[in-house]
Amino acid sequence: MKRQRIGTALVGAGVLLLVGCSEPDVGEGRLAEIRARGELVVITRNAPTTFYEGRDGLAGPEYEMVESFAEYLGVSTHYIVIDNWSEMLSRIERGDADLAAAGITRTSRRMGKYLFGPGYQTVEQQVICRRDGESPRGVEELSGIDLKVLADSSYEERLRALRRDYADLEWTAETDLGSEQLLEEVWQGRIGCTVADSNIVAINRRYYPELDVAFTLGAPQTLAWAMPKGASELLAAVRTWFEEYEQSGDLDDLVERYYGFVDLFDYVDVSVYRRRIEQRLPKYQTMFERAGEEYGIPWSLLAAQSYQESHWNPRARSPTGVRGMMMLTLPTARSLGVKNRLDARQSIMGGASYLAHLRSRLDPEIQEPDRTWFALAAYNVGLGHVRDARRLTEEMGRNPNLWIDLKEALPLLSDRKYYRRLPHGYARGSEPVRYVQRVRDFHDILEQQLGIGVPQQEFDLMVERAAANQ
């Protein structure tokens, strides 16, 4: 296993905060130094969009990309976590680290001080306020608003540029808090508004549903790694690695895993859901736990799926006749031995059994977690249609065993050009895509709110045990 090293660790709030590093020289020869010392020194920041300690160890989009690049170089990694933008960029300028992978916006001003790698994500700066608070709809309405942004950030850089045209534009530069903390400050009503990148907002709005995107501040920008001036050989290596990383589909897979389930947001839905986690879920939690244990499925995932199906209403009924907590059809309920679909316990056990059955019938080449996403899609649209979509995925030159590729093919099931030649014909293929996204979103919010989770290794063992019992 490739060695990882992290600076001095300060454990708090379930994550690592790190400082300290070696001091390589600035300029040419940086790549040779990295290989000689056998270690890539990386500055990053502690956030869900960059680098954090998850249930199974270190994780985050930036972390995964850095690990891939280090593997390409054949070296280990040493992470330095700094949440102050000024210090972070100053240390890169001095050459205290080889690169900064921290969700850094590539701006013209910064490009004069640092080298930047290829852009890997496009974001927008968004002015964020609370729904029941300040409501500016343009820069001209920011005057007099309690606006706080990160000091020396790309947000402050843009505000300085805007002040040339809006002389009364004022803000407070924050040096101690990060973007996520400023968003929480807005949510708690302690400040009026802040500015944050759209990817950061997308994740955090699920936790703070009262946050409102007031307006977008300027044109889209690109995130990229920053390196010291003169490190041209290192930059060339980053470009070569990134081209392979992008062409292999690894970048698309990364974005899907971290952001693929956060695109859908509905303020009313999320607010009600969070209340029902506290008020309605406790009545049924033991039922979900027993079903999850019996069928090798995390109970929190079953609960999230049930909420998507019925909002945890055991008497729920759809216009098509499906009923109960897991919205079973009458034929499916009979095949599962469910005598009363309106009985919450029977419905939950039946739904879990059916989901496990669908998962067991998928091709063995489909691995977790994609296997569960495929099973959820089949629960929604039928296994035959999922198999049709896999066929289309393969015809498109994509991987039929990956959810990120299958979800591109599923909507084609409603296009006559495609469905007329498929064994199972027409289907509203966009629905299972939305269904899986919403279940994943509800699942993520539930685990965040309750502070729970099933590590991937334990999840895999649950699946193996359930398969052995079937």
Side-chain angles (χ1 to χ4, degrees), residues 43 70 77-78 89 130 201 229 309 315 342 357 375 383 402:
I43 290 177
T77 48
H78 175 194
L89 295 173
R130 188 179 163 90
V201 174
K229 276 287 190 181
E309 291 285 355
R315 305 191 68 82
L342 303 187
H357 172 69
L383 189 57
L402 296 179

Side-chain angles (χ1 to χ4, degrees), residues 162-183:
L162 288 169
R163 190 151 58 182
R164 297 176 193 141
D165 297 321
Y166 301 92
D168 57 351
L169 180 60
E170 295 182 355
W171 64 91
T172 301
E174 173 60 54
T175 58
D176 296 328
L177 301 179
S179 290
E180 292 75 18
Q181 289 73 39
L182 287 178
L183 289 172

